[in-house]
Amino acid sequence: MKPDRNATVAEVYAHPLGRDIIDKILLQTGRSATWVRNPLVSRLRLRQLDKFLGRMFGPGFVDTLVDLLADCPESPPRLDGPIAATWWKRAVFYQIYPRSFADSNGDGIGDLPGILAKLPYLDDLGIDCLWLSPIFTSPNKDMGYDIADYRSVMAEMGTIDDLRRLIAACHERGMRIILDLVANHTSDEHPWFKDALADPEGAHGDYYFLRDGDPETPPNNWTSFFSGPAWRRIGEKWALHLFAPEQPDLNWDNPAVRREVADIVRFWLAEGVDGFRLDVINYISKRDGLPDGNATVGQVMGFTGVEHYFHGPHLHDHLAELRREAFTRTDVEPGHEAPGADARPIMIGETPGAGVEVARLLTSSQRDELDLIFSFDHLETPGHVRWDEYAYDLNFLKHYYIDYQSRLGSDDWMSLFFENHDNPRMISKVNPDPRFRDQLGKALATILLTMRGTPFIFQGQEIGAVNQDFPDESALRDVESLNLLAADGPGAWGKIMAGSRDHARVPMRWDRDEHWGFTRATPWIKAFDDSVGYSVAAQEHNPDSVLRYYRRLIWLRRSNPTLSLGSIRFIDADVKDYFAWFREHNGERWFIEVNLSGHPLRRRHRERNLEIVAGTAKDRSGPMEPYEALVCQVPRDGGE
Ligand code: ISL
Ligand code: CA
């Protein structure tokens, strides 16, 4: 049933996208779902709400909502069967930001041979699959997220042969490797874009959103994620760019564009790559006619126009097509096969703004679109954005996971992550007090590696990396931060220190050398956290280090399928600061408990017969220590 203006609130809430949207509004306004279930509210029809919502969100809000819902498929049934043990459900992923990982040739920029040299480290850590942030040719206005040639390796990263060696070396070790494909937009230096500008009527003219019109007034009111309007005037044309002006959006409604993308994917799969992470892939379908965004929605979300592309009319069709056309390889050249012959390439989507129900639409194995998505709803607590200085309350994460997991069927799966190259370090966000750095790092590791889902570790997270004390603007490199400073002035410095993506992009710390063993030259970006003991070398030697803890947990997860494939059951959900759950599989049971706070917590379930297998405390006699985390096995005859 497609809700229209006559639909009731209850009907909208029963619709996947409607549910996600209402849930988001409830969350941001601090209301619970009982509010929607209240008969007085649930029986209201959208048309009756038009006036009221119009006052809140401006005229036309209900129509926009109805349009959004109309384009959205129905939810697949929530299955309750056995879980297919696909390789990526058991895998631990590791995200490398290649520029900042390891520099092999002394130019201050990390590269592919640098990664190759560190493979033994990653293998020892127990990593199953690497994800490399972009390595294709790029002018680096957005550090590789602006691609000028999809079929060549960026000169700073090395050569195609370096990449081949890396792929082969991963596979020799039984590891996999996926690349980052940025296909919502290209660089403005891509030949397609240059050609489109030179000849808007020609073969590439319709590859982008080029529009005529008044040179003073952009074609619509959409704003870019990196400050200012989403339109750039070039020559006689306007070009749409959701990100930097140098990142024009591709027009996926043009079948030629979709064929190009599928071609690119097949090209790299033939080289032995095991799949892709697809950058902002939910933004590829824009609403016909590119209508103005709702001003109030824009204000609330921080970006005007998002409702017209975060879940666009052809999103699911385009993804299903890409899956069919490209992500079904079996024809890999001999010697390039991934470990496990059954493997089909993994397709992971970065999907900002996707809620739980849209996540299910995108990844349910009943639908054959993506395998996993990255949704970001858990990275800030309600009412906050990345730029806010505030302490992240882990109780929010707990409730987020409890709710999310309860809504997944046996054909659904989720990704787990706290960090990536776009976000500050989680330890700093939760509690920057250095006394808690290790404990908190381990507590986060425990959640990440024993929760149900596929964990993604971002480089440095495994050694307890924290945010940087950047001294001034000259220390920053990221276009997002620099544009924000340019737009907002020095007053934006507090925001930058809270949310800059550069916190995650400083060099990996290998040892205590001048530049942390990252490079023998001057690094392209400098690190400013000077704390002792937070390098790989130091932590290798310290049995209590965060690194050794990660390694132990990853090893446990690998050797005990219960920790990856087991069912999950949370207990004591309403006990503040306490996060605990059982994992169960083939009669084997594990119990995990974490103190989410920086103060001691009364010990619960003291009577339970549990064997501590990993964790930050030796026994369960006294109160829980700040951020204490325990991973326990339940003896076969033990307790509940
Ligand atoms: O970080 C965001 C805003 O707070 C999200 O909108 C979103 O996750 C992000 O901006 C999109 O990220 C991806 O695409 C960008 C690129 O700059 C990021 O590095 C990449 O991860 C444009 O390609
Ligand atoms: Ca280099």
Side-chain angles (χ1 to χ4, degrees):
M1 209 262 332
K2 302 274 186 203
D4 57 16
R5 292 176 61 85
N6 286 316
T8 61
V9 168
E11 283 161 351
V12 174
Y13 203 55
H15 177 281
L17 187 54
R19 165 99 195 236
D20 280 359
I21 291 172
I22 293 179
D23 277 348
K24 211 157 282 180
I25 296 174
L26 291 175
L27 193 70
Q28 294 299 338
T29 54
R31 292 196 168 84
S32 88
T34 47
W35 193 79
V36 182
R37 296 200 176 101
N38 172 341
L40 288 178
V41 177
S42 68
R43 284 188 210 138
L44 282 173
R45 297 189 184 277
L46 282 183
R47 61 178 156 74
Q48 297 171 300
L49 284 167
D50 205 2
K51 266 224 182 87
F52 168 72
L53 290 173
R55 266 199 306 276
M56 267 171 82
F57 295 106
F61 180 79
V62 164
D63 291 328
T64 303
L65 187 65
V66 167
D67 281 351
L68 271 170
L69 302 185
D71 295 331
C72 179
E74 308 217 340
S75 287
R78 247 170 274 271
L79 300 185
D80 184 18
I83 290 176
T86 327
W87 72 266
W88 45 262
K89 292 183 184 160
R90 295 205 57 195
V92 176
F93 283 69
Y94 186 96
Q95 183 192 352
I96 292 183
Y97 196 67
R99 246 186 138 63
S100 303
F101 194 62
D103 171 24
S104 72
N105 62 345
D107 63 356
I109 298 176
D111 46 48
L112 296 175
I115 298 173
L116 182 67
K118 298 298 183 187
L119 269 198
Y121 165 74
L122 297 165
D123 198 358
D124 278 358
L125 185 56
I127 301 305
D128 300 288
C129 186
L130 300 181
W131 150 31
L132 269 47
S133 270
I135 54 162
F136 303 144
T137 297
S138 161
N140 288 312
K141 282 288 180 303
D142 187 20
M143 297 308 162
Y145 285 92
D146 48 328
I147 296 176
D149 179 359
Y150 288 93
R151 287 184 177 76
S152 71
V153 171
M154 185 190 310
E156 292 106 306
M157 295 292 151
T159 63
I160 179 78
D161 284 327
D162 291 325
L163 181 58
R164 288 182 177 137
R165 272 190 284 274
L166 182 59
I167 295 171
C170 284
H171 292 170
E172 264 160 42
R173 289 176 180 273
M175 295 163 81
R176 291 185 167 87
I177 177 169
I178 66 169
L179 302 181
D180 209 318
L181 184 64
V182 189
N184 170 69
H185 45 268
T186 69
S187 158
D188 60 350
E189 293 185 20
H190 196 290
W192 298 336
F193 190 64
K194 292 192 192 162
D195 192 40
L197 283 183
D199 181 11
E201 305 306 315
H204 297 112
D206 198 31
Y207 270 40
Y208 296 87
F209 296 94
L210 295 182
R211 295 290 182 271
D212 300 313
D214 175 6
E216 302 304 318
T217 328
N220 69 23
N221 67 353
W222 297 6
T223 53
S224 121
F225 288 99
F226 295 162
S227 307
W231 293 91
R232 172 185 181 193
R233 184 80 187 168
I234 317 180
E236 300 289 288
K237 295 283 178 189
W238 286 102
L240 175 72
H241 62 88
L242 296 183
F243 293 90
E246 298 87 354
Q247 292 168 293
D249 279 59
L250 280 169
N251 173 17
W252 278 63
D253 288 335
N254 180 349
V257 167
R258 304 201 301 272
R259 276 196 298 271
E260 299 270 15
V261 176
D263 260 1
I264 294 163
V265 170
R266 283 189 301 256
F267 175 88
W268 288 110
L269 293 179
E271 287 286 348
V273 163
D274 297 295
F276 278 96
R277 175 260 192 194
L278 304 166
D279 190 63
V280 289
I281 200 65
N282 59 320
Y283 292 178
I284 54 177
S285 171
K286 278 89 177 165
R287 184 164 305 284
D288 269 355
L290 311 180
D292 272 340
N294 178 296
T296 314
V297 172
Q299 242 163 36
V300 175
M301 305 300 299
F303 311 101
T304 304
V306 285
E307 69 272 28
H308 296 310
Y309 57 77
F310 88 100
H311 191 269
H314 307 295
L315 173 63
H316 295 284
D317 298 338
H318 292 343
L319 289 175
E321 181 188 86
L322 187 60
R323 162 68 79 185
R324 217 169 44 235
E325 296 297 317
F327 280 87
T328 41
R329 164 215 61 193
T330 38
D331 55 341
V332 184
E333 283 174 40
H336 286 280
E337 304 85 358
D342 63 333
R344 72 170 183 171
I346 190 169
M347 195 171 164
I348 305 176
E350 189 214 21
T351 57
V356 182
E357 296 305 319
V358 168
R360 291 193 64 239
L361 285 174
L362 291 166
T363 62
S364 162
S365 57
Q366 299 172 63
R367 291 177 50 85
D368 228 14
E369 294 178 23
L370 300 163
D371 292 307
L372 288 171
I373 59 149
F374 295 125
S375 148
F376 297 92
D377 289 350
H378 63 302
L379 287 191
E380 312 300 336
T381 57
H384 290 292
V385 296
R386 172 152 56 88
W387 304 115
D388 295 343
E389 291 173 75
Y390 75 99
Y392 181 104
D393 182 352
L394 285 172
N395 287 286
F396 170 70
L397 185 76
K398 161 177 141 179
H399 290 292
Y400 173 85
Y401 279 146
I402 292 176
D403 172 63
Y404 207 122
Q405 300 275 353
S406 76
R407 288 162 64 185
L408 298 184
S410 51
D411 58 319
D412 300 310
W413 200 251
M414 72 185 294
S415 70
L416 305 165
F417 72 100
F418 306 137
E419 296 186 6
N420 64 19
H421 64 296
D422 290 337
N423 283 280
R425 296 292 187 172
M426 196 63 172
I427 292 177
S428 304
K429 246 158 65 164
V430 174
N431 191 341
D433 185 335
R435 284 177 305 163
F436 296 131
R437 185 168 175 179
D438 287 18
Q439 288 280 63
L440 179 50
K442 291 176 191 175
L444 292 169
T446 308
I447 300 171
L448 186 72
L449 294 163
T450 68
M451 179 72 40
R452 186 169 180 252
T454 297
F456 287 75
I457 299 168
F458 177 67
Q459 68 181 49
Q461 191 179 342
E462 77 277 24
I463 52 171
V466 293
N467 284 353
Q468 306 296 308
D469 215 351
F470 293 114
D472 55 41
E473 184 179 342
S474 71
L476 300 175
R477 294 289 174 273
D478 181 25
V479 60
E480 185 195 47
S481 299
L482 297 171
N483 284 6
L484 184 66
L485 274 177
D488 287 17
W493 189 251
K495 288 183 173 184
I496 302 285
M497 290 304 277
S500 177
R501 307 194 298 183
D502 280 338
H503 286 304
R505 299 179 179 189
V506 299
M508 177 75 182
R509 294 175 170 214
W510 296 104
D511 55 41
R512 264 220 71 103
D513 282 0
E514 193 190 354
H515 295 301
W516 302 105
F518 162 71
T519 181
R520 48 182 196 273
T522 306
W524 72 278
I525 182 173
K526 276 197 185 141
F528 295 92
D529 165 34
D530 237 8
S531 47
V532 177
Y534 292 89
S535 66
V536 169
Q539 299 205 5
E540 289 281 6
H541 293 116
N542 173 4
D544 290 327
S545 66
V546 180
L547 176 62
R548 297 275 288 262
Y549 188 75
Y550 263 91
R551 196 177 291 160
R552 168 127 181 85
L553 280 199
I554 294 173
W555 180 85
L556 270 183
R557 196 176 187 279
R558 288 178 81 127
S559 34
N560 297 279
T562 306
L563 292 176
S564 49
L565 298 174
S567 63
I568 191 159
R569 183 165 63 87
F570 298 96
I571 59 166
D572 296 343
D574 50 354
V575 179
K576 189 170 178 298
D577 295 333
Y578 185 67
F579 193 14
W581 60 94
F582 285 98
R583 302 293 310 270
E584 188 167 353
H585 188 61
N586 293 342
E588 188 188 81
R589 215 134 59 96
W590 290 71
F591 177 71
I592 294 98
E593 59 178 352
V594 183
N595 176 357
L596 300 177
S597 79
H599 48 255
L601 199 64
R602 190 175 69 79
R603 174 77 54 195
R604 307 184 63 80
H605 309 290
R606 204 190 287 265
E607 73 294 348
R608 277 182 199 274
N609 178 13
L610 299 170
E611 182 206 334
I612 299 178
V613 182
T616 58
K618 298 272 168 299
D619 59 66
R620 301 181 76 254
S621 53
M624 286 188 95
E625 289 164 24
Y627 301 115
E628 179 181 310
L630 292 179
V631 181
C632 309
Q633 203 156 13
V634 186
R636 294 248 168 193
D637 57 354
E640 219 192 332

